Amino acid sequence: MEKLFDKFSQLKIAVIGDLILDKYVWGEVFRVSPEAPVPVVRVQKKNERLGGAGNTAQVIKALGAGVTLFGRLGEDLGGRRFSNLLDDAEIELVKLPNQLHCSTTVKTRIMAGGQHIVRIDEERRDSVTVSELETTRQNLLSQLSGYDALLFSDYGKGVFSPENLKIWMELRTTLDCPLVVDPHIGHFTDYRGATLLTPNEQEFLSGMGVYSDEQVNLEELSRQAVEQLQLEALLITRGENGMNLVETNKPVVHLPAEAREVYDVTGAGDTVAGVVCLGEALGLDRQQSIRLANLAAGIAVGRMGTVVVTPEEIRQELKNGSS
């Protein structure tokens, strides 16, 4: 494991995606409102964290690799707060087209008594247009060259769209490096030719056009997706049911979830995508990568909010006997 962390420190990863400011209001419920049947939360503290692709980037940074973030921030308070958090984390941001005409997505979560009471979203979805990408194509190629892997963190907020993903995928082909995608269900079939996709089970089923009341053979549908989308691999995270790794011409690998109490799954997908991307950049055996990702995600869901997992925490889990 120490050798693996040493190898991580030699990598440079480009994370491209939607930037989200995660705000948390922590407090306690002390009565029901007389105005409506809702809890009244007495605020005790507030904090802000990097969310979306920002969280994915800090996951990679925390594990020792170099990382550059590509995304858009609005010229607003949320954007300024996000920039300050990036400075604190020492993560460089390269601004994508349409920077001046977008607003920063802000998610505010009200937490009380260990429970997630409500979430308030502030957003305006303006996609990066095809013409904007075409105009900056050569500049983007220059900026993205020299990285050991690319990671698309797609939250459906405008950096990626069915219209512009063709250009993003063409850029990746020119760069000739592994591409890991944490996908948005609305764009699922547009990632054709990616190295590896990391959806959760519900995202995968929805992305493949399966409704919740349909009975499907998950393994068969997974193999179909790998073939149709021309992927090298598909990693489906399944919460308490663990993970399924599907690779071309190989048996499906099922990895049970790490046994622990789950407090909050926020950001767990970012953790998995970040760790797996490091594995792809190194050319690790994918079963080794997903075991490390499973361990890191298990640590992340044991804490509240978007969090990063450190090498020290992973070492401690291994000492405690985790797989």
Side-chain angles (χ1 to χ4, degrees), residues 175-313:
L175 294 165
D176 192 28
C177 65
L179 168 63
V180 172
V181 180
D182 189 0
H184 182 263
I185 59 173
H187 314 150
F188 201 81
T189 58
D190 297 300
Y191 305 114
R192 182 173 284 101
T195 306
L196 187 149
L197 263 60
T198 64
N200 63 42
E201 186 171 3
Q202 188 55 53
E203 288 170 338
F204 171 68
L205 294 174
S206 299
M208 292 296 289
V210 175
Y211 295 97
S212 58
D213 58 347
E214 289 187 59
Q215 297 297 315
V216 297
N217 183 316
L218 185 62
E219 181 175 330
E220 183 178 316
L221 188 65
S222 301
R223 290 194 179 282
Q224 179 183 329
V226 169
E227 181 177 350
Q228 288 182 352
L229 299 180
Q230 301 171 16
L231 308 173
E232 289 188 23
L234 173 67
L235 177 63
I236 303 175
T237 56
R238 305 179 62 203
E240 63 183 13
N241 294 317
M243 300 179 177
N244 285 8
L245 175 66
V246 186
E247 297 181 89
T248 306
N249 301 322
K250 291 184 179 181
V252 173
V253 175
H254 174 69
L255 193 65
E258 288 287 335
R260 67 183 69 240
E261 188 170 358
V262 176
Y263 286 93
D264 188 3
V265 299
T266 305
D270 301 330
T271 301
V272 170
V275 173
V276 169
C277 185
L278 291 173
E280 291 297 317
L282 284 178
L284 290 181
D285 176 83
R286 290 195 176 104
Q287 292 191 39
Q288 183 180 3
S289 291
I290 68 168
R291 284 185 170 84
L292 182 59
N294 192 44
L295 179 61
I299 297 170
V301 300
R303 305 207 299 268
M304 295 297 292
T306 46
V307 297
V308 294
V309 177
T310 65
E312 289 72 24
E313 290 175 304

Side-chain angles (χ1 to χ4, degrees), residues 56-288:
T56 307
Q58 67 179 350
V59 166
I60 292 171
K61 176 83 173 182
L63 291 175
V67 62
T68 303
L69 185 59
F70 292 74
R72 301 184 305 164
L73 287 175
E75 297 294 328
D76 48 27
L77 179 60
R80 291 191 292 275
R81 293 297 303 131
F82 196 98
S83 293
N84 291 339
L85 292 171
L86 284 180
D87 290 342
D88 293 342
E90 298 182 339
I91 295 174
E92 177 189 3
L93 173 65
V94 175
K95 297 177 181 179
L96 291 177
N98 201 20
Q99 173 86 22
L100 296 176
H101 303 288
C102 74
S103 61
T104 305
T105 297
V106 179
K107 295 181 180 180
T108 303
R109 296 172 175 88
I110 312 299
M111 318 292 290
Q115 299 294 319
H116 187 164
I117 304 299
V118 69
R119 192 181 89 185
I120 303 166
D121 287 7
E122 303 168 68
E123 64 179 17
R124 188 185 71 210
R125 302 186 186 187
D126 295 320
S127 296
V128 176
T129 67
V130 171
S131 62
E132 286 166 338
L133 279 182
E134 286 286 11
T135 302
T136 58
R137 181 192 287 258
Q138 291 305 316
N139 191 34
L140 275 172
L141 274 174
S142 174
Q143 291 173 318
L144 289 169
S145 64
Y147 289 94
D148 298 293
L150 306 181
L151 196 160
F152 288 177
S153 180
D154 187 357
Y155 276 78
K157 307 302 182 187
V159 169
F160 303 107
S161 69
E163 294 75 28
N164 71 31
L165 265 165
K166 181 180 179 181
I167 298 176
W168 282 117
M169 298 304 291
E170 288 173 353
L171 286 170
R172 177 263 170 160
T173 301
T174 305
L175 294 165
D176 192 28
C177 65
L179 168 63
V180 172
V181 180
D182 189 0
H184 182 263
I185 59 173
H187 314 150
F188 201 81
T189 58
D190 297 300
Y191 305 114
R192 182 173 284 101
T195 306
L196 187 149
L197 263 60
T198 64
N200 63 42
E201 186 171 3
Q202 188 55 53
E203 288 170 338
F204 171 68
L205 294 174
S206 299
M208 292 296 289
V210 175
Y211 295 97
S212 58
D213 58 347
E214 289 187 59
Q215 297 297 315
V216 297
N217 183 316
L218 185 62
E219 181 175 330
E220 183 178 316
L221 188 65
S222 301
R223 290 194 179 282
Q224 179 183 329
V226 169
E227 181 177 350
Q228 288 182 352
L229 299 180
Q230 301 171 16
L231 308 173
E232 289 188 23
L234 173 67
L235 177 63
I236 303 175
T237 56
R238 305 179 62 203
E240 63 183 13
N241 294 317
M243 300 179 177
N244 285 8
L245 175 66
V246 186
E247 297 181 89
T248 306
N249 301 322
K250 291 184 179 181
V252 173
V253 175
H254 174 69
L255 193 65
E258 288 287 335
R260 67 183 69 240
E261 188 170 358
V262 176
Y263 286 93
D264 188 3
V265 299
T266 305
D270 301 330
T271 301
V272 170
V275 173
V276 169
C277 185
L278 291 173
E280 291 297 317
L282 284 178
L284 290 181
D285 176 83
R286 290 195 176 104
Q287 292 191 39
Q288 183 180 3

